[in-house]
Amino acid sequence: MDEQKKSAFVAVVGRPSVGKSTLVNRLCGHKVAIVSPVPQTTRNAIRGIYNGDEGQLVFVDTPGRHRSEKKFNKKLSSISGRSMEEADLILYVLDASRPPAQEEEDISAELAPFAGKTVAAINKIDHGAADTAGVQRFLREHLPLREAGEDSPERCVEISALEKRGLDALLALLFRLAPQGEPFYPADFYTDQDVSFRIAEIIREKAIAGLREELPHSIYVDVADMEFRDPGARAPNTAGTDGTEGPTGDRRLWVRAFIVTERESQKGMVVGKGGSRIKGIRLAAQKDLDAIFDWKIDLDLRVKTSKDWRHNDALLKRLIDR
């Protein structure tokens, strides 16, 4: 083992819509997590991998933490809770454009036992309403992140994930704190998500973008079938690399997927007049998927209903723990 190399799992936590997924995508240099202005878009622990001269950091993007007694939201919160306990480091992302509220105090209290391995990133410093001084003040009062010694630097970096500002300083800080160790994944990996999960997430992102505000939380995407239509081509298992592991050339991956709603009345919203909305979702998803994979995607996209699926424990476990 090269003693100079470092490696760490980094749990990325924060309240909804602070820019965690955008940050992970920027750090990894690829689209790892879907992005949406709708709060709580992230439903799983999404792993994105950064490989550099210093070593490897595996960022675990977690669902936004907020107060809620709903079963679905409590399960989402449990994901980030487990990630904080298991990670080597924690990256706490705050939004400079929003004053810290009660949810921020709740998160800082949960992070207090892990303060020794926590780094803060104050995001959206490019926003016109950014108040970095106010967020810094909040951190000093609720979650001091200073190492031993009064003159030691605070473990806090001001960034703009959108404009890629401050990211080098953030990586340098994380590597300084990371333990020495061998990489967890090969150097050409930027995620370990399998093909079906990535396809489902891209479809869900495009569906969220085209649906009205209250509906996105009522849908999920089920990839029912996948197969290569080129005879003799192997079926995909994982696509956790830069896209080079799969078939190339004119091979096409046929995918049948369903956007699943909670109620029959919601199906029409997804389909749209004359099928216009679902067609737009399909075309937008195919465009992104063709850019991610080395093969072309033939997407057969449909809509179905699974009544009150957010109260189905077995389904929630399958969706959230995958």
Side-chain angles (χ1 to χ4, degrees):
M1 180 180 73
D2 186 347
E3 293 298 328
Q4 300 305 310
K5 293 289 185 179
K6 293 189 169 186
S7 60
F9 275 85
V10 184
V12 185
V13 303
R15 59 176 170 167
S17 301
V18 296
K20 298 185 300 297
S21 296
T22 297
L23 176 58
V24 169
N25 289 342
R26 292 287 194 267
L27 290 170
C28 298
H30 297 273
K31 186 166 187 171
V32 174
I34 64 173
V35 178
S36 167
V38 177
Q40 287 193 293
T41 295
T42 301
R43 292 177 175 173
N44 308 81
I46 307 295
R47 286 178 290 273
I49 303 161
Y50 171 84
N51 292 287
D53 294 337
E54 307 93 329
Q56 184 179 88
L57 297 174
V58 181
F59 293 96
V60 185
D61 183 19
T62 64
R65 297 182 69 83
H66 77 129
R67 287 185 163 187
S68 175
E69 293 302 315
K70 293 182 178 179
K71 178 185 293 187
F72 184 59
N73 292 330
K74 290 174 74 173
K75 284 187 177 291
L76 293 184
S77 291
S78 71
I79 293 175
S80 57
R82 290 198 307 270
S83 297
M84 288 191 295
E85 293 177 1
E86 297 169 358
D88 300 295
L89 298 171
I90 297 172
L91 176 54
Y92 177 24
V93 184
L94 300 96
D95 184 347
S97 70
R98 290 189 292 168
Q102 184 61 52
E103 285 180 348
E104 214 70 82
E105 294 185 16
D106 293 343
I107 296 171
S108 63
E110 292 181 58
L111 284 171
F114 310 109
K117 64 176 184 178
T118 298
V119 167
I122 302 177
N123 191 26
K124 303 186 184 181
I125 60 173
D126 56 296
H127 196 284
D131 178 15
T132 55
V135 179
Q136 290 273 17
R137 190 164 51 251
F138 170 84
L139 283 171
R140 285 193 295 270
E141 293 173 356
H142 293 84
L143 188 68
L145 297 175
R146 188 184 296 277
E147 297 175 47
E150 285 296 320
D151 297 328
S152 64
E154 291 180 303
R155 297 193 304 274
C156 180
V157 180
E158 297 178 4
I159 67 168
S160 167
L162 191 63
E163 297 185 353
K164 301 182 182 180
R165 292 163 54 188
L167 302 192
D168 288 342
L170 177 58
L171 287 169
L173 176 56
L174 289 168
F175 271 116
R176 181 168 66 82
L177 299 173
Q180 293 179 349
E182 296 179 342
F184 302 102
Y185 297 92
D188 59 350
F189 273 45
Y190 65 85
T191 186
D192 65 354
Q193 301 165 24
D194 65 30
V195 171
S196 62
F197 178 82
R198 299 196 77 189
I199 290 174
E201 285 289 273
I202 292 296
I203 295 171
R204 189 164 67 89
E205 178 186 60
K206 304 311 175 187
I208 289 172
L211 297 171
R212 69 192 200 190
E213 186 173 340
E214 69 272 20
L215 190 54
H217 296 301
S218 301
I219 64 170
Y220 74 91
V221 175
D222 179 32
V223 174
D225 299 287
M226 293 191 306
E227 66 176 33
F228 283 109
R229 291 299 171 90
D230 178 5
R234 59 176 174 76
N237 292 314
T238 61
T241 74
D242 58 0
T244 59
E245 84 165 42
T248 58
D250 59 359
R251 290 170 177 164
R252 306 182 73 88
L253 179 64
W254 174 79
V255 178
R256 180 169 62 200
F258 293 88
I259 298 175
V260 185
T261 65
E262 279 193 306
R263 299 189 297 275
E264 281 290 326
S265 60
Q266 296 170 333
K267 289 173 65 175
M269 302 179 198
V270 179
V271 173
K273 187 176 181 180
S276 59
R277 180 167 290 137
I278 194 169
K279 178 181 178 181
I281 294 169
R282 178 178 61 81
L283 293 175
Q286 282 194 176
K287 182 178 179 180
D288 270 22
L289 293 169
D290 286 345
I292 289 172
F293 299 114
D294 270 2
W295 53 79
K296 294 292 184 181
I297 304 292
D298 288 328
L299 183 57
D300 178 2
L301 187 58
R302 309 181 187 191
V303 184
K304 67 179 181 181
T305 298
S306 176
K307 187 176 180 181
D308 296 328
W309 64 264
R310 283 185 288 182
H311 301 284
N312 184 324
D313 286 329
L315 178 61
L316 289 181
K317 181 174 177 58
R318 179 169 68 83
L319 290 176
I320 293 174
D321 292 343
R322 62 186 178 180

